[in-house]
Amino acid sequence: MKALICNQPGELALIDRPDPEPAAGEVLVRIRHVGICGTDFHIFGGKHPFLEYPRVMGHELSGTVEAAPEGSDLQPGDPVYIVPYLSCGDCQACRIGLTNACRNIRVLGVHTDGGMAERISVPAQNVIPTGGIALRDAAMIEFLAIGAHGVSRGHIAAHDRVLVTGAGPIGMSAIIFAKARGAHVTVMDTREDRLAFATGGLGADASVIATSDQADALARGDGFDVVIDATGVAAPMMRGFDFLAHGARYVLLSVVRQEISFSDPEFHKREATLIASRNALPADFAEVVAQMQAGHVPTEALNTHRGPIRDGVDLFKEWSRPEAGVIKAILDV
């Protein structure tokens, strides 16, 4: 089969490799579409801290079943998406249902080879029917589920005043699901094009340039009921504490290698809550599918770039350029 492999930072190659042999309890999936994530660009750029090369990337995956184990409800030809978090099922986190935070988690395309290939074999519990969602759209379910999980972690409700900092794909997913709950959403970023898309395409109620006087004024105001950080940068993560209202929740979708700090007196004065949000749970994936089925996710607008995997070497280099204006790129396999 064909696979797109990252041999080392900046070096991709389309190679032939043997088809995978499903182990007991695994489903063989013919990959049809692969969403490209910021994680993939970090791997390509040599910026991922927990990765060994060479690596077949790809964790935003949809396809069709080729073979399923005996007793499975899945049948050959079934359209499916893949939950890329391979949890152990035995650790303390798994025992309490936090499979997204498994102590021994392996993420497809990061800790083990992923789905930028014609076929992949994964445990049956990680292969989910699409529920009628088009396969190309189903390749976006995983990144949307991360935003849905952050919104759930923040217990966002109707009429909450929400600030989303960072208008990349993950921040956009948080906007979509905060709006689905009836929240009033303000989005903050340094890029005017991303802010325009967030308000015009995703329904955000207001936008703010992060470096503007308006942003400074918001920091001096009453604050927001919920702040969601999706910047992926330490400095704005720390600045986010300034936007918290009294009694607010601060959800960190971002994760960075550096330490972050905040003013303890200000944090205590506001009796705020700091919340980590990691990956997503089955309920978040189901929420994404439900919102897609209801027509509340603008999939055509989100999928700005697409192309065949045979051109993946050149496409990946082009899409990794900020000037390319990628929101979500998808490889067709």
Side-chain angles (χ1 to χ4, degrees):
M1 68 173 185
K2 297 293 184 184
L4 189 64
I5 194 166
C6 189
N7 288 310
Q8 60 185 5
E11 182 186 317
L12 290 174
L14 190 65
I15 63 168
D16 288 300
R17 59 162 41 184
D19 285 355
E21 293 288 340
E26 289 189 341
V27 175
L28 181 65
V29 178
R30 173 68 165 88
I31 296 298
R32 301 295 180 181
H33 304 284
V34 183
I36 308 301
C37 172
T39 297
D40 300 314
F41 289 128
H42 286 155
I43 293 170
F44 177 66
K47 299 177 182 178
H48 198 288
F50 306 119
L51 188 111
E52 295 182 2
Y53 298 90
R55 177 65 70 223
V56 174
M57 299 178 289
H59 60 275
E60 300 178 5
L61 309 171
S62 67
T64 51
V65 173
E66 287 210 344
E70 186 177 350
S72 171
D73 292 334
L74 296 169
Q75 300 295 323
D78 283 352
V80 295
Y81 67 88
I82 293 174
V83 176
Y85 320 129
L86 307 183
S87 55
C88 72
D90 296 322
C91 70
Q92 180 268 345
C94 287
R95 290 197 300 271
I96 63 173
L98 293 180
T99 52
N100 60 316
C102 169
R103 293 187 61 151
N104 306 302
I105 198 166
R106 293 181 302 133
V107 178
L108 294 176
V110 179
H111 306 99
T112 188
D113 280 349
M116 285 189 194
E118 291 181 309
R119 292 171 182 83
I120 193 170
S121 185
V122 291
Q125 65 264 27
N126 292 78
V127 181
I128 314 296
T130 60
I133 302 300
L135 278 173
R136 181 173 283 159
D137 293 344
M140 294 189 280
I141 290 174
E142 191 272 343
F143 97 85
L144 290 163
I146 291 176
H149 185 63
V151 168
S152 175
R153 291 282 289 150
H155 299 288
I156 291 175
H159 310 303
D160 271 340
R161 295 166 299 116
V162 177
L163 174 66
V164 176
T165 58
I170 299 300
M172 290 179 185
S173 66
I175 293 167
I176 290 168
F177 292 98
K179 289 301 300 179
R181 293 187 175 212
H184 182 281
V185 178
T186 299
V187 58
M188 181 182 296
D189 199 278
T190 58
R191 289 178 53 173
E192 293 187 12
D193 59 331
R194 289 287 177 89
L195 294 176
F197 181 80
T199 53
L202 304 180
D205 299 283
S207 65
V208 180
I209 294 289
T211 54
S212 67
D213 292 341
Q214 185 183 2
D216 294 336
L218 285 177
R220 296 190 297 270
D222 291 335
F224 294 84
D225 303 306
V226 183
V227 176
I228 298 178
D229 177 87
T231 63
V233 181
M237 289 171 71
M238 291 186 281
R239 189 189 187 201
F241 288 90
D242 296 337
F243 300 108
L244 297 174
H246 286 241
R249 288 94 69 196
Y250 189 13
V251 180
L252 297 183
L253 281 174
S254 294
V255 58
V256 293
R257 297 186 69 179
Q258 307 99 303
E259 292 185 358
I260 63 171
S261 60
F262 55 90
S263 167
D264 187 56
E266 285 294 328
F267 189 70
H268 271 80
K269 181 175 72 177
R270 304 177 198 204
E271 200 177 48
T273 302
L274 180 61
I275 303 167
S277 182
R278 184 184 184 192
N279 299 329
L281 287 167
D284 305 307
F285 284 87
E287 171 70 7
V288 173
V289 171
Q291 294 295 344
M292 281 184 161
Q293 290 169 332
H296 295 158
V297 180
T299 52
E300 283 297 317
L302 290 168
N303 178 200
T304 53
H305 295 67
R306 62 179 66 118
I309 194 171
R310 66 176 178 270
D311 297 334
V313 173
D314 293 331
L315 288 173
F316 214 92
K317 292 176 181 177
E318 170 61 23
W319 291 341
S320 65
R321 298 170 55 248
E323 298 84 1
V326 171
I327 293 177
K328 178 56 61 176
I330 292 179
L331 286 174
D332 301 325
V333 184

